Amino acid sequence: PKEPANEGCADDAEWRDMEGDSCKVYRKYIAEGKMTQSAACGYAGGEAKEFCPETCGVCQAGGAPSPPPEHREAKIKSAAAVRAVFAAASVFALLGLILGGTEL
């Protein structure tokens, strides 16, 4: 049975890491033993600790405050930019293979 989240200390249902994984995915990997909590929550600079405080076990007594909206928006835009760069690099790599295996 799932315990109710501490007020002010709930995972952000909308957050995704640079690979598109949510707090729910992190929680599942930890529960299934695919990753330790430390490894999962420390992945890619530990951003999940900020957006998945319940999953990452970083809630303080009385709950942890959510990040300020402007900080959250900047993180989301940053993650989207990283995904776009990786997607573009993949397209260029594939195009290079198609056009004769040249590396870019």
Side-chain angles (χ1 to χ4, degrees):
K2 183 182 175 202
E3 295 179 12
N6 291 335
E7 187 173 327
C9 188
D11 291 345
D12 184 333
E14 296 179 26
W15 176 80
R16 301 292 183 269
D17 68 11
M18 65 183 165
E19 294 177 0
D21 292 332
S22 65
C23 296
K24 192 175 185 178
V25 171
Y26 278 55
R27 182 181 293 270
K28 180 181 176 190
Y29 284 174
I30 293 165
E32 292 176 350
K34 292 181 179 178
M35 296 183 84
T36 64
Q37 185 181 52
S38 177
C41 296
Y43 176 71
E47 186 178 44
K49 291 178 187 174
E50 183 176 344
F51 292 95
C52 310
E54 186 178 6
T55 293
C56 293
V58 296
C59 298
Q60 300 170 359
S66 299
E70 64 277 0
H71 182 65
R72 182 179 181 280
E73 287 299 318
K75 289 275 193 176
I76 290 171
K77 288 178 183 175
S78 175
V82 169
R83 282 193 297 274
V85 168
F86 280 117
S90 296
V91 168
F92 284 119
L94 181 59
L95 186 57
L97 289 172
I98 292 170
L99 296 177
T102 58
E103 292 187 30
L104 300 177

